[in-house]
Amino acid sequence: MSQDLMRYAARMDLSKMGAIMPRRMAHIAQGAPVPPKLDYAANLTAKALHPKCQKLLVAEVIEREGGAKSFVLRAQEGGELARFRAGQFLSFSLAIGGSTITRAYSLCCPPSWAKQGKYMITVKPSEDGFAGNWICANWHEGTQVTASAPLGEFSYTRLRDARHILGVCGGSGVTPFCAMACAIAEGSEDYSLTLLYGSRDSDSILLGEELAALAQRCERFTLVNVLERGGGDESGYITTELIKKYMPEGDCSLFVCGPAAMMQAMETAIAPLGLPERRIRRKTYGVTEAALEADWPQEAAGKTFSLTVKMRDQTYTVPCASGETVLVAMERAGLEPPSRCRSGECGWCRSRLSAGTVYIPARTEHRRKADLAYGYIHPCCSFPTSDLTLCVGCE
Ligand code: FES
């Protein structure tokens, strides 16, 4: 013990130590019988608006065109649901086989439904589909599901967007526009929407009746059905010329949503329009196929690489085929990595790549500059081009 400390200890009256506990107990006895309130109104509101997850229940199943189904979802414990902006999506956790995966589905109901305690999504099965087919086969009235809070930037923002949106979509890509049209019709949004909706034929128009009814009763929503096989408002494909034909005079924002193949074609179609990037919003539906991308490194074709994953204090080594994303490889191995949007936007899956190289399609490249510099990737839209070592959840 130092000299100073010994002098200090010598001056202390240790007999007073025994009085401390009775004094403390007297203070505690004077306190309120109930614990102090720690949840303030602002915290409760924030929690309600941005819950970590939502426990929902399938309340109704509505059969749609081409085997698609709309699912009306309610809170398992009743009450209101987290609010959303028309165009946002929910990310669902699905336990399929031995894996837990996520899938994002756009809300396709008016935003006012959240206050009434319900949401609606529409899911279309497809020949080579996986999660959508599983949902359509396994979700029934009463099924309990877990979803994220509403997420995504595919929605009108007054500061960024023009007051007129030209929407371009195909297949299930119509669902966020359905919510936008509902929001305009119910008066909760004050922009105008012209929607170019590409489908193969009249039988494959998803939510066709609902959209037609909305267009009829709301003059700020215009629907243009573009049918490949003819017979719609327009025939053939959505081209630069067609987009120009329906582009409003003056300023407009362009929102594009559809499957990966369509999104790729749309990049070529929208480039000549010369719109500033801030006026363009993109959302890709379904799985991106690396092999379809023009700049995918062909030498990776047909190869399977070794993926070493460090996650939650464990190290795993799993195979990762060149045509599948790093996220899918981890999910297939049952690792349960974090994910939400699956299109490179939310950053929820952000992980550090400490060895190896990946291919990232340009339109799914949403990483911050610092992440690019320090080797972080979004596994949901990264395809391996060599063996990889990935650290999930590492800073
Ligand atoms: S899950 Fe959103 S960026 Fe990967």
Side-chain angles (χ1 to χ4, degrees):
M1 201 183 285
S2 74
Q3 292 291 320
D4 284 348
L5 204 52
M6 284 175 67
R7 276 199 294 274
Y8 175 72
R11 283 204 305 272
M12 280 177 68
D13 182 356
L14 293 178
S15 65
K16 287 182 181 168
M17 294 287 277
I20 291 176
M21 278 312 285
R23 250 196 343 258
R24 278 188 188 164
M25 295 313 290
H27 278 302
I28 290 169
Q30 281 168 16
V34 286
K37 183 173 154 50
L38 295 176
D39 277 336
Y40 294 96
N43 301 88
L44 291 175
T45 307
K47 217 170 160 182
L49 288 175
H50 310 287
K52 277 201 183 112
C53 74
Q54 305 190 89
K55 298 282 181 195
L56 306 174
L57 188 76
V58 177
E60 190 184 347
V61 183
I62 305 165
E63 302 286 339
R64 302 285 190 194
E65 305 81 358
K69 291 181 180 180
S70 289
F71 297 95
V72 178
L73 306 164
R74 287 189 178 276
Q76 283 176 22
E77 294 183 352
E80 299 180 13
L81 290 167
R83 305 295 193 270
F84 69 95
R85 284 176 293 148
Q88 288 193 302
F89 66 86
L90 299 177
S91 174
F92 292 87
S93 285
L94 308 168
I96 305 179
S99 307
T100 299
I101 62 168
T102 59
R103 280 297 183 274
Y105 289 100
S106 295
L107 290 151
C108 61
C109 52
S112 60
W113 275 33
K115 206 167 180 200
Q116 299 162 26
K118 57 183 181 174
Y119 291 143
M120 184 163 70
I121 60 163
T122 297
V123 182
K124 191 176 180 181
S126 62
E127 239 172 62
D128 51 355
F130 176 57
N133 295 9
W134 185 87
I135 288 176
C136 286
N138 289 279
W139 282 15
H140 308 285
E141 262 179 52
T143 302
Q144 298 188 343
V145 299
T146 304
S148 67
L151 300 164
E153 303 301 321
F154 195 78
S155 51
Y156 171 78
T157 310
R158 189 179 276 254
L159 275 178
R160 175 179 168 178
D161 290 308
R163 293 289 290 279
H164 196 127
I165 292 177
L166 181 65
V168 176
C169 68
S172 300
V174 73
T175 49
F177 292 109
C178 191
M180 291 182 203
C182 289
I184 294 169
E186 74 172 14
S188 57
E189 294 284 7
D190 63 356
Y191 54 87
S192 301
L193 172 66
T194 300
L195 182 61
L196 300 182
Y197 180 13
S199 307
R200 196 179 325 116
D201 50 37
S202 56
D203 291 338
S204 41
I205 302 175
L206 188 59
L207 301 169
E209 277 178 28
E210 290 69 16
L211 289 165
L214 283 163
Q216 212 164 26
R217 72 184 163 96
C218 176
E219 59 180 25
R220 284 189 290 123
F221 172 51
T222 306
L223 176 66
V224 182
N225 278 307
V226 185
L227 303 185
E228 270 173 56
R229 296 179 180 171
D233 303 306
E234 297 283 352
S235 299
Y237 295 98
I238 299 172
T239 59
T240 309
E241 286 63 42
L242 196 67
I243 297 174
K244 276 185 184 163
K245 180 176 170 184
Y246 287 95
M247 240 170 147
E249 296 271 313
D251 207 2
C252 97
S253 286
L254 182 68
F255 280 45
V256 191
C257 183
M262 177 197 160
M263 294 301 285
Q264 212 179 3
M266 281 303 110
E267 287 305 325
T268 316
I270 64 180
L273 301 173
L275 284 172
E277 195 52 35
R278 72 192 156 86
R279 288 283 195 247
I280 304 174
R281 219 68 66 81
R282 302 168 177 84
K283 174 143 187 63
T284 306
Y285 250 85
V287 182
T288 298
E289 281 186 50
L292 293 180
E293 303 290 329
D295 58 346
W296 182 58
Q298 294 293 329
E299 56 276 14
K303 290 187 181 160
T304 297
F305 300 104
S306 166
L307 167 63
T308 302
V309 183
K310 295 176 184 173
M311 184 167 71
R312 302 179 195 118
D313 298 329
Q314 301 282 334
T315 301
Y316 311 87
T317 300
V318 302
C320 185
S322 59
E324 69 182 356
T325 64
V326 176
L327 177 68
V328 167
M330 289 191 282
E331 287 178 337
R332 199 167 23 73
L335 302 190
E336 298 189 21
S339 69
R340 279 189 171 169
C341 72
R342 305 182 78 88
S343 54
E345 294 157 55
C346 72
W348 201 253
C349 63
R350 175 180 174 269
S351 304
R352 184 150 50 79
L353 184 66
S354 49
T357 53
V358 292
Y359 164 74
I360 299 169
R363 71 169 178 288
T364 61
E365 178 58 278
H366 298 288
R367 287 177 296 168
R368 292 173 300 177
K369 280 191 177 150
D371 281 358
L372 284 169
Y374 290 100
Y376 284 88
I377 62 165
H378 292 166
C380 66
C381 51
S382 302
F383 297 85
T385 52
S386 75
D387 290 343
L388 306 175
T389 302
L390 190 73
C391 191
V392 179
C394 301
E395 285 303 328

